[in-house]
């Protein structure tokens, strides 16, 4: 995946990544972070912007740490800065992982991924998903059939043991969202690159 994904990037790219799709979350080099690591070795990545990934902050706590350990130039941004960065900086790609991919190539990933894909499309930035073939669930026809887990609202209203909302405040915490395949530029698996990202090309690569 690292080799195939790095082939999608041009030299000196600046990229945005989201959540943690590195060695801490997967194995080896990681999925999305694995692509970034390999691309950095090849001189294809110049700088990485890691989104914090509210509410659990995997990007800030984990991804940034992994990138810093590898001495890859990186900068932490809050999730709501991504649009501004795409509008004012040269962003060459968004690279994310996935927790589940439907048969039509819709992609489920950490909450906030869908919004990032919309921003990427608006700004003409390629949106790449990196995931092993085992992430694909052909029994699920499309993203609407993927159940979205609701997690503790305390993770939204409390950070580091300190309340950031009024006592008794109501909150929501859907842990994942679904990005329609039409917003995905390519899906990188260990079996090949799915491009365009649709059901027919996905099944062809898996076969």
């Amino acid at each position: 995946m690292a080799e195939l994904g790095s082939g999608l990037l041009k030299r000196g790219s600046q990229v945005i990544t989201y959540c943690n799709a590195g060695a801490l979350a997967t194995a080896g080099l990681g999925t999305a972070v694995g692509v970034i690591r390999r691309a950095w070795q090849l001189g294809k990545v110049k700088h990485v912007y890691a989104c914090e990934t509210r509410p659990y902050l995997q990007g800030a706590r984990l991804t940034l740490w992994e990138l810093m350990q590898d001495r890859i130039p990186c900068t932490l941004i809050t999730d709501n800065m991504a649009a501004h960065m795409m509008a004012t900086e040269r962003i060459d790609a968004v690279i994310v992982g996935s927790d589940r991919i439907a048969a039509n190539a819709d992609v489920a990933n950490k909450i906030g991924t869908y919004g990032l894909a919309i921003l990427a499309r608006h700004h003409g930035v390629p949106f790449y998903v990196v995931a092993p073939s085992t992430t694909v669930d052909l029994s699920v026809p499309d993203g609407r059939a993927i159940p979205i887990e609701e997690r503790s609202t305390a993770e939204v209203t409390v950070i580091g043991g300190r309340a950031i909302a009024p006592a008794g405040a109501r909150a929501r915490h859907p842990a994942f969202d679904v990005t329609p395949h039409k917003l995905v530029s390519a899906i990188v698996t260990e079996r090949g690159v799915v491009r365009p990202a649709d059901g027919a090309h996905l099944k062809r690569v898996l076969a």
Side-chain angles (χ1 to χ4, degrees):
M1 289 183 286
E3 292 291 346
L4 292 170
S6 62
L8 298 174
L9 301 176
K10 61 185 180 182
R11 292 191 66 83
S13 291
Q14 298 197 119
V15 304
I16 290 177
T17 191
Y18 193 75
C19 196
N20 180 252
L24 294 173
T26 58
L29 294 176
T31 55
V33 174
V35 168
I36 291 170
R37 282 185 163 120
R38 183 57 180 145
W40 162 250
Q41 293 170 355
L42 297 171
K44 289 190 168 186
V45 162
K46 176 183 177 183
H47 199 95
V48 182
Y49 289 99
C51 295
E52 60 179 350
T53 322
R54 281 277 288 143
Y56 204 56
L57 304 175
Q58 297 98 320
R61 296 184 301 109
L62 305 177
T63 300
L64 200 72
W65 182 85
E66 289 196 46
L67 295 171
M68 291 172 68
Q69 293 302 300
D70 285 349
R71 299 190 178 185
I72 299 173
C74 55
T75 301
L76 176 66
I77 60 174
T78 62
D79 298 341
N80 58 0
M81 293 178 186
H84 174 75
M85 301 307 292
M86 290 185 197
T88 61
E89 304 282 338
R90 195 197 82 232
I91 302 299
D92 299 291
V94 176
I95 308 173
V96 302
S98 175
D99 292 273
R100 200 173 191 183
I101 298 173
N104 74 334
D106 288 349
V107 174
N109 195 47
K110 188 60 58 182
I111 188 71
T113 304
Y114 178 28
L116 200 56
I118 293 172
L119 293 175
R121 175 57 58 90
H122 177 76
H123 290 92
V125 176
F127 186 88
Y128 298 130
V129 175
V130 187
S133 58
T134 51
T135 304
V136 179
D137 187 348
L138 294 178
S139 70
V140 176
D142 56 46
R144 293 171 297 180
I146 298 176
I148 300 300
E149 176 187 358
E150 288 268 352
R151 292 184 177 170
S152 170
T153 58
E155 292 179 357
V156 177
T157 59
V158 177
I159 294 181
R162 182 181 295 274
I164 61 169
R170 299 176 65 180
R172 289 283 307 277
H173 184 189
F176 306 92
D177 59 24
V178 174
T179 299
H181 66 90
K182 292 182 179 180
L183 295 177
V184 178
S185 304
I187 298 174
V188 180
T189 76
E190 82 283 5
R191 298 190 185 184
V193 177
V194 181
R195 184 169 56 175
D198 57 34
H201 287 86
L202 178 62
K203 291 171 186 174
R204 188 171 299 127
V205 167
L206 293 182

